[in-house]
Amino acid sequence: MTDGLLYGQDFHRLRSAHLQKGSLFTDPKFPPGPCSLSYSGSSDLTGVRWLRPGQLHPRPRLVVRGTDRNDVNQGSLGNCWFLCALAGLAESHPSLLERVVPRDQGFSEAEYAGIFHFLFWQYGQWVEVVVDDLLPTRDGRLMYVTSDDGGEMWPCLLEKAYAKLHGSYQHLEGGWPVT
């Protein structure tokens, strides 16, 4: 399935351990804080709270009624190049999107432990990126990408995984889809 695990984090092993303990995963490699928001760690943190999807919506789901371009709406991060790629993938290549966003995860009681994984093709190999579901918010709203359906979480979790792959959300500011 994958050629590599970012930071050696194995999604299935970590999720299983947290399900057994009844605890929610918090990613030590991409913790909720200033260093995950910006490469200098000096982002304006005024009013930033890291919330889990269940704190943002009464019934979060990974995917709601399939995927399409309307699932991808830009927030305050200048990463439209990445979001265009996501919208295009959702609209034109749903089978590839299912590879990038594996459906072996979600918010049901049997599978939810605050941990998700995504696959990215990088430098000629598939890389699995594991993230927790703590998302940056201001005033109780997601700061970055959102879906038209407030309970749909694949876009914001995928964006978080891509930010982790590159070091921080700020690393996604301005860029090119081919890099």
Side-chain angles (χ1 to χ4, degrees):
M1 177 188 269
T2 62
D3 298 323
L5 301 172
L6 187 65
Y7 301 119
Q9 292 176 301
D10 181 281
F11 167 75
H12 292 97
R13 186 181 54 75
L14 288 166
R15 181 176 67 176
S16 179
H18 282 277
L19 285 171
Q20 286 178 347
K21 290 188 288 186
S23 61
L24 296 178
F25 177 69
T26 299
D27 191 350
K29 302 294 185 181
F30 199 71
C35 289
S36 295
L37 292 177
S38 72
Y39 41 79
S40 66
S42 63
S43 285
D44 175 16
L45 299 177
T46 306
V48 174
R49 289 187 58 214
W50 294 78
L51 300 176
R52 295 199 187 262
Q55 297 171 290
L56 296 167
H57 194 273
R59 193 169 159 238
R61 293 189 293 175
L62 191 60
V63 176
V64 176
R65 293 184 303 276
T67 58
D68 65 41
R69 69 179 185 276
N70 296 316
D71 295 342
V72 182
N73 299 296
Q74 189 168 7
S76 65
L77 191 61
N79 64 343
C80 58
W81 62 272
F82 174 68
L83 302 181
C84 286
L86 279 190
L89 195 59
E91 190 74 16
S92 302
H93 302 284
S95 62
L96 182 55
L97 183 65
E98 283 191 33
R99 169 120 188 179
V100 173
V101 182
R103 300 294 168 95
D104 63 348
Q105 56 192 340
F107 292 95
S108 74
E109 189 175 326
E111 62 190 358
Y112 178 69
I115 184 171
F116 291 84
H117 68 130
F118 302 90
L119 300 172
F120 298 102
W121 184 254
Q122 184 184 49
Y123 309 125
Q125 68 176 357
W126 286 101
V127 177
E128 181 178 32
V129 179
V130 170
V131 292
D132 61 36
D133 65 348
L134 288 158
L135 300 166
T137 68
R138 274 203 174 101
D139 301 319
R141 299 178 62 148
L142 290 169
M143 290 172 50
Y144 304 134
V145 70
T146 60
S147 173
D148 279 354
D149 182 321
E152 187 163 48
M153 297 296 158
W154 76 265
C156 56
L157 292 170
L158 181 61
E159 179 185 52
K160 181 175 185 172
Y162 203 67
K164 178 180 177 177
L165 182 63
H166 292 283
S168 75
Y169 280 97
Q170 190 177 24
H171 279 94
L172 306 184
E173 286 265 7
W176 305 97
V178 294
T179 61

